[in-house]
Amino acid sequence: MGRAPCCDKTKVKRGAWSPEEDTTLKNYVQKYGTGGNWIALPHKAGLKRCGKSCRLRWLNYLRPDIKHGGFTEEEDNIILNLYNNIGSKWSIIASHLPGRTDNDVKNYWNTKLKKKLLAEVTTSLTAITAATSVATTSITNTSFCHVPSSALTTKIETNHFYNSVNNTTLPYYPMEVNPHHNFMPEMLGISTQIPLPRLVEVPENGINSYSGFPTIPLSKELSNFSPSFSLDNSGISASWSVNGGGEDNNTFLDEFDYGLSYDLLNIGFDFEDKTSEFNPSFTNSSDSFAG
DNA sequence: AAGAATTACAACCGCAGCGTG
DNA sequence: ACACGCTGCGGTTGTAATTCT
């Protein structure tokens, strides 16, 4: 047996509120308050509405401190960042935006902001794909390949973060990925750029070192290089993978499989690191594999 | 100009959590 | 401990307005 309905739906008016109903509700609440009981309020106020409907109309539309009209760039940033960190907790997100309701924020996200983000990322992915093409071409011509990291870095969010606690606007910083750890940008809360793996030249002694960004050593025997970027129905995902195999003495990665993917709409960031699957050897003790 | 498609947003629904008796 | 009533929340739907063809 289900829960009893809060009111008799055959006896209450539903659908859009008339200006007269708005006036009645607004006048009643401003004069008497809600009395902590929305269920009883419509009867007292003389409204043929469900209490829940009255509450929603007041909270989302009639409250005097409600801010109507378009969202600002600053509000966009706040929503993006909080969604990034906490997901679809609309009431919490709305609490950071004075005058905005959870319903407002939710509608805005679903109808505009999500699409705006999608468009930005699509543009970025186009640029990345072009850079990838360059990288692929280089690999066929030479033993090593180098792609400037700037070409493989996509900006996905805005440059500043508004801190509602102390009313300051702070810059974002590009995040760095340590390939030895699964990485979630919300750990830092500062991400604005997603760095994609860059290919670096491997010196003749075969020693590779990390400098913040993941690097992919390429050997003469590199058999397969398969970067790919895609959009799917669940959001956006991008992946970049390199599969290399070889017996080259100068290459300490016998088999290397490396991938990076992220879902920008759910803002989950999954860094797939398979470097633990091999055991690199170094030519001298001072060489390291530090992130 | 008109119908179709899309967008924007208000409103509803059902569930979870909390307080109270 | 339990049932009940109420509120708050997030997902979904309905529809008016706008844009496209």
Side-chain angles (χ1 to χ4, degrees), chain A residues 243-260:
Chain A
N243 305 298
E247 304 297 329
D248 192 322
N249 289 335
N250 289 336
T251 305
F252 58 79
L253 302 185
D254 201 24
E255 292 287 339
F256 194 83
D257 189 357
Y258 184 103
L260 177 70

Side-chain angles (χ1 to χ4, degrees), chain A residues 71-131:
Chain A
F71 282 69
T72 65
E73 193 74 26
E74 193 171 281
E75 288 175 314
D76 286 1
N77 296 344
I78 294 170
I79 295 168
L80 283 167
N81 276 283
L82 288 171
Y83 190 91
N84 184 350
N85 285 303
I86 63 176
S88 58
K89 305 288 184 191
W90 303 119
S91 60
I92 297 173
I93 294 172
S95 71
H96 288 74
L97 302 166
R100 302 294 188 186
T101 69
D102 54 348
N103 210 36
D104 264 349
V105 176
K106 177 175 58 182
N107 282 332
Y108 182 58
W109 172 263
N110 285 329
T111 59
K112 290 183 184 172
L113 209 48
K114 194 158 75 175
K115 289 169 189 166
K116 181 182 168 186
L117 184 61
L118 186 71
E120 286 178 5
V121 172
T122 302
T123 302
S124 296
L125 289 180
T126 302
I128 295 165
T129 303

Side-chain angles (χ1 to χ4, degrees), chain A residues 43-60:
Chain A
H43 179 69
K44 291 179 185 172
L47 287 163
K48 290 183 168 53
R49 288 278 180 173
C50 172
K52 284 179 77 167
S53 179
C54 291
R55 174 186 165 272
L56 208 63
R57 185 63 178 171
W58 172 257
L59 291 177
N60 287 341

